[in-house]
Amino acid sequence: MRYWIALALFTGIAHANPAIDMPGYLQVSREAAAHRETRRVSEDEFIRMSREPGTLILDARSREKFDELHVKGAMSLPFPDIAIESLKAAVPDLNTRILIYCNNNFANAEGPFPAKIARASLNLSTYIALYSYGYRNVYELAPLIDLKASKLEFETR
């Protein structure tokens, strides 16, 4: 009996959880990274695309930061709330064009857009999550923009 317990602990069987899949996450992250390479857009492209019918601007920051300041017309869906049912309700069509931005797109705006370390940028997590759920028509605001010099329109809630 001790042998089987030791074997289970050694192989990780004792801690298996079918609702958490690190190898799958790493695989989809690699796929999403390759897909993302052609989906990073300039500020001008982001603005142009945002004005086209059927386009959704998604803000995955906390509701508090969203309420403080966000791109005009953006929808709030905080990253912790991105889940099967919330995505189905918010964006039922997997082909919807989704534009994303995050804290690390804006400089000189520590209040509403507090900086994260580059490898923990919310754009990365959001892009990977949307890709994981089957959304492929996702575009990311690419540059770092001084908030005071931005051409984007912002609003508060």
Side-chain angles (χ1 to χ4, degrees), residues 13 15 26-27 41 45 55 57 62 67 73 77 90 113 123 128 130-131 136-137 143 152 155 157:
I13 294 171
H15 301 290
L26 294 173
Q27 175 62 36
V41 298
E45 289 171 304
T55 300
I57 303 170
S62 71
D67 288 347
L77 184 59
F113 296 102
N123 276 356
I128 292 166
L130 291 171
Y131 188 92
R136 299 293 189 268
N137 200 8
L152 288 161
E155 60 187 0
R157 186 166 277 227

Side-chain angles (χ1 to χ4, degrees), residues 36-37 39-43 45-46 100-102 104-106 123 139-145:
R36 176 180 168 265
E37 285 305 310
R39 304 251 169 190
R40 301 182 73 237
V41 298
S42 69
E43 183 179 30
E45 289 171 304
F46 191 93
I100 63 171
Y101 65 92
C102 80
N104 286 21
N105 284 119
F106 302 104
N123 276 356
Y139 293 84
E140 174 190 339
L141 181 61
L144 176 62
I145 303 165

Side-chain angles (χ1 to χ4, degrees), residues 24-124:
Y25 176 80
L26 294 173
Q27 175 62 36
V28 80
S29 296
R30 286 188 291 277
E31 290 173 18
H35 187 263
R36 176 180 168 265
E37 285 305 310
T38 61
R39 304 251 169 190
R40 301 182 73 237
V41 298
S42 69
E43 183 179 30
D44 289 333
E45 289 171 304
F46 191 93
I47 292 168
R48 179 188 56 74
M49 293 169 83
S50 72
R51 293 177 178 154
E52 294 175 1
T55 300
L56 173 76
I57 303 170
L58 178 70
D59 187 322
R61 295 174 304 137
S62 71
R63 181 58 136 185
E64 175 188 348
K65 295 301 178 186
F66 177 86
D67 288 347
E68 191 174 337
L69 189 69
H70 58 270
V71 171
K72 186 174 182 177
M75 177 184 79
S76 175
L77 184 59
F79 187 76
D81 297 335
I82 292 176
I84 296 167
E85 292 306 317
S86 63
L87 273 172
K88 269 191 215 174
V91 192
D93 183 354
L94 291 174
N95 296 311
T96 299
R97 180 165 47 193
I98 303 171
L99 305 178
I100 63 171
Y101 65 92
C102 80
N103 298 4
N104 286 21
N105 284 119
F106 302 104
N108 300 316
E110 275 302 306
F113 296 102
K116 295 180 173 279
I117 60 172
R119 65 181 171 265
S121 169
L122 187 57
N123 276 356
L124 301 176

